[in-house]
């Protein structure tokens, strides 16, 4: 690996190890954590550091606090969940810098875990302030960054702090970066990408990067409507689809550029049209020449398209996927997303496909398809995952290069 990992940090016995995690979990109005995934995924790194005899200081952002003392966004609300997942008591300090923190760290024993208060209680965190990073790391010997989901931001704890001490990525970031490198930077080919979702305008950077890197690009979901119109299907219009008329020229340019890079673009061959935008509304599958110009909306792609995408998957070795193929939140318009996701999962289980997916709604779409644990890797990192797919350098990852 080209990045520094925990293995490069040497003996951690008795060392004060500061771990930048992402504990930004969803919470209800009574401060109950509603999904512990982010906590659970950080725990293996914490346990490894404890087993190496370190004193582990966990830091994280949480929500969007309005300054210090915004108790709604206090990390104290997650202490019980962290203790449960870790199977060990966690000491909590209600600040992340200052004397209180120094004293608590000085009183720690090896193998203990201390959680500090929300980093974003200080504006300096988001500003990437070096002095704040110095105060934050004042008592630490070693720094580990494990918050891949924040790696697209040059915040103090993501960049400045890593430069002040011997630093490395945690196991979660290592896993994520490995999966992303295998999928886009060093893939086994043929490499296929599936891009769905609502609008072309939000995915321009993604499409422009993918056409340079992938062998095949499947475009589906609402964003395919603009490409269908651009390819001459006139019955696709603003009354029945998510076509973006001001993006038609851009779509044509993308298709042209794809050709020059040797990337095959795969568009829908049939669509599911619905009378209304609601679950189980009257619907039918139609070929491209039969799309009704009025009175129906294009909410999913049909069986012919599903079969075509699946056979392209059969011929591929690596898949990257962002965005649902249809309106997966409403049955039966989750059909195409489900069937293609299940086929990708089967190929993955058979060892024939390395499958990576992520970004926004993709995680829930794949969970809805029942394949949440059946892809090679599903990234929950949202913005950071997308920026990586867009070919951008993530400051929080770049700073950990060897
Ligand atoms: P995005 O955040 O851009 O990946 O978009 C995800 C959203 O795209 C989901 O909420 C889907 O319901 C929506 N979507 C996918 N296909 C369609 C479609 N054919 N018509 C309308 N919305 C769609």
């Amino acid at each position: 690996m080209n990045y520094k990992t925990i293995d490069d940090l040497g003996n951690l016995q008795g060392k004060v190890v500061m771990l930048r995690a992402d504990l930004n979990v969803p919470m209800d109005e009574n401060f109950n954590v509603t999904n512990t995934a982010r906590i659970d995924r950080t725990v293996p790194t914490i346990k490894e550091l404890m087993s190496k005899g370190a004193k582990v200081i966990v830091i994280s952002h949480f929500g969007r606090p309005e300054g210090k003392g915004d108790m709604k966004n206090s990390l104290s609300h997650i202490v019980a969940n962290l203790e449960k997942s870790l199977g060990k008591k966690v000491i909590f300090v209600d600040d992340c810098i200052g004397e209180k923190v120094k004293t608590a760290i000085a009183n720690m024993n090896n193998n203990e875990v201390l959680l500090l208060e929300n980093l974003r209680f200080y504006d300096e965190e988001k500003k990437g302030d070096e002095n704040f990073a110095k105060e934050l790391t004042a008592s630490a010997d070693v720094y580990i960054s494990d918050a891949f989901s924040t790696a697209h931001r040059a915040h103090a704890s993501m960049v400045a702090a890593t430069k002040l001490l011997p630093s490395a990525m945690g196991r979660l970031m290592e896993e994520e970066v490995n999966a992303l490198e295998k999928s886009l930077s060093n893939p086994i080919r043929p490499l296929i990408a599936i891009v769905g979702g609502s609008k072309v305008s939000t995915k321009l950077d993604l499409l422009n990067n993918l056409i340079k890197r992938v062998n095949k690009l499947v475009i589906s979901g609402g964003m395919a409507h603009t490409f269908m119109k651009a390819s001459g299907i006139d019955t696709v219009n603003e009354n029945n689809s998510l076509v973006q008329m001001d993006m038609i020229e851009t779509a044509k340019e993308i298709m042209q550029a794809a050709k020059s890079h040797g990337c095959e673009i795969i568009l829908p061959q049939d669509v599911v049209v619905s009378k209304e935008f609601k679950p189980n509304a009257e619907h039918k599958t139609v070929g491209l020449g039969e799309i009704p110009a009025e009175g129906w909306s294009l909410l999913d792609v049909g069986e012919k398209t599903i079969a075509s995408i699946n056979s392209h998957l059969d011929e591929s070795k690596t898949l990257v996927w962002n965005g649902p193929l249809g309106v997966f939140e409403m049955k039966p318009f989750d059909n195409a997303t489900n069937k293609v996701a299940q086929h990708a999962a089967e190929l993955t289980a058979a060892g024939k496909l390395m499958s990576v997916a992520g970004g926004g709604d993709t995680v829930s779409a794949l969970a809805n398809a029942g394949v949440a644990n059946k892809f090679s890797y599903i990234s929950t990192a949202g913005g950071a995952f997308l920026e990586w797919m867009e070919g951008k350098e993530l400051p929080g990852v770049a700073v950990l290069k060897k």
Side-chain angles (χ1 to χ4, degrees):
M1 208 190 189
N2 299 323
Y3 299 95
K4 296 181 282 182
T5 70
I6 294 177
D7 302 322
D8 298 307
L9 290 173
N11 187 357
L12 297 177
Q13 179 73 27
K15 296 257 172 77
V16 177
V17 178
M18 186 161 265
L19 174 69
R20 176 28 164 131
D22 174 8
L23 301 177
N24 188 26
V25 286
M27 201 168 265
D28 65 19
E29 60 281 6
N30 298 318
F31 304 115
N32 295 311
V33 176
T34 52
N35 181 337
T36 60
R38 284 188 163 154
I39 296 175
D40 300 336
R41 295 183 77 192
T42 298
V43 158
T45 302
I46 302 180
K47 280 192 172 158
E48 179 176 344
L49 297 172
M50 284 163 58
S51 75
K52 293 189 161 152
K55 300 170 183 171
V56 189
I57 319 297
V58 184
I59 55 174
S60 176
H61 69 285
F62 185 57
R64 294 170 192 267
E66 289 157 15
K68 207 175 165 191
D70 175 358
M71 290 311 288
K72 273 196 321 296
N73 290 300
S74 167
L75 274 169
S76 60
H77 302 305
I78 70 127
V79 172
N81 294 84
L82 180 57
E83 286 180 334
K84 190 165 170 224
S85 185
L86 200 55
K88 183 162 169 87
K89 176 131 192 55
V90 171
I91 310 159
F92 179 74
V93 179
D94 64 358
D95 209 338
C96 61
I97 55 173
E99 285 312 312
K100 229 191 257 180
V101 175
K102 282 185 191 155
T103 310
I105 294 176
N107 289 332
M108 277 176 90
N109 296 314
N110 295 357
N111 312 321
E112 281 189 337
V113 180
L114 185 137
L115 174 67
L116 300 182
E117 184 55 287
N118 193 349
L119 293 166
R120 292 194 189 160
F121 275 9
Y122 291 88
D123 291 341
E124 289 87 342
E125 160 65 0
K126 279 191 167 184
K127 290 181 185 148
D129 188 274
E130 279 180 33
N131 287 325
F132 175 71
K134 272 186 199 149
E135 286 190 58
L136 185 66
T137 55
S139 302
D141 300 312
V142 169
Y143 196 85
I144 295 178
S145 180
D146 214 11
F148 180 81
S149 49
T150 323
H152 56 316
R153 314 253 183 245
H155 293 172
S157 64
M158 295 307 302
V159 176
T162 65
K163 296 179 182 167
L164 298 169
L165 295 172
S167 60
M169 46 180 66
R171 295 302 182 200
L172 188 53
M173 190 183 293
E174 185 183 338
E175 190 188 12
E176 187 107 26
V177 168
N178 260 329
L180 296 186
E181 294 229 312
K182 275 194 213 149
S183 64
L184 263 197
S185 315
N186 280 311
I188 302 176
R189 290 180 185 271
L191 164 62
I192 188 168
I194 297 178
V195 180
S198 52
K199 300 211 161 173
V200 181
S201 50
T202 60
K203 306 232 171 164
L204 289 179
D205 288 345
L206 179 67
L207 293 172
N208 280 316
N209 186 44
L210 290 178
I211 54 172
K212 287 184 228 142
R213 292 168 181 255
V214 307
N215 303 99
K216 294 178 183 177
L217 172 61
V218 174
I219 300 181
S220 188
M223 58 182 294
H225 304 159
T226 305
F227 284 87
M228 289 160 76
K229 183 84 176 175
S231 339
I233 300 164
D234 283 337
T235 47
V236 173
N237 62 45
E238 281 160 313
N239 295 325
N240 66 6
S241 74
L242 288 185
V243 65
Q244 290 182 282
M245 294 306 291
D246 55 343
M247 285 284 138
I248 299 281
E249 279 314 306
T250 309
K252 284 184 184 164
E253 282 161 25
I254 291 173
M255 289 193 281
Q256 196 54 42
K259 217 181 231 169
S260 71
H261 287 290
C263 164
E264 181 186 348
I265 292 207
I266 296 147
L267 293 178
Q269 298 174 16
D270 56 353
V271 288
V272 178
V273 293
S274 170
K275 268 277 182 204
E276 288 169 276
F277 193 85
K278 66 172 197 194
N280 302 310
E282 184 188 342
H283 61 277
K284 58 184 180 182
T285 302
V286 294
L288 300 184
E290 307 151 356
I291 296 173
E294 297 282 341
W296 298 78
S297 303
L298 281 64
L299 297 190
D300 199 8
V301 292
E303 294 297 335
K304 217 166 148 188
T305 307
I306 296 169
S308 151
I309 300 174
N310 284 349
S311 76
H312 284 293
L313 288 179
D314 290 339
E315 293 163 7
S316 303
K317 292 269 193 304
T318 306
L319 162 69
V320 289
W321 184 343
N322 170 257
L325 305 188
V327 184
F328 77 95
E329 298 92 336
M330 300 192 307
K331 288 204 178 308
F333 309 110
D334 57 351
N335 182 52
T337 305
N338 292 350
K339 286 193 174 148
V340 172
Q342 284 152 10
H343 189 64
E346 281 162 24
L347 292 172
T348 306
K352 294 179 180 162
L353 186 73
M354 147 90 185
S355 51
V356 174
D361 281 335
T362 314
V363 180
S364 19
L366 297 185
N368 181 61
V371 302
N373 300 315
K374 297 182 181 163
F375 269 45
S376 311
Y377 196 77
I378 295 185
S379 169
T380 51
F385 175 85
L386 273 179
E387 289 201 17
W388 182 290
M389 290 287 155
E390 288 166 2
K392 295 179 184 151
E393 186 169 75
L394 310 185
V397 173
V399 79
L400 298 170
K401 273 196 186 127
K402 268 189 183 161

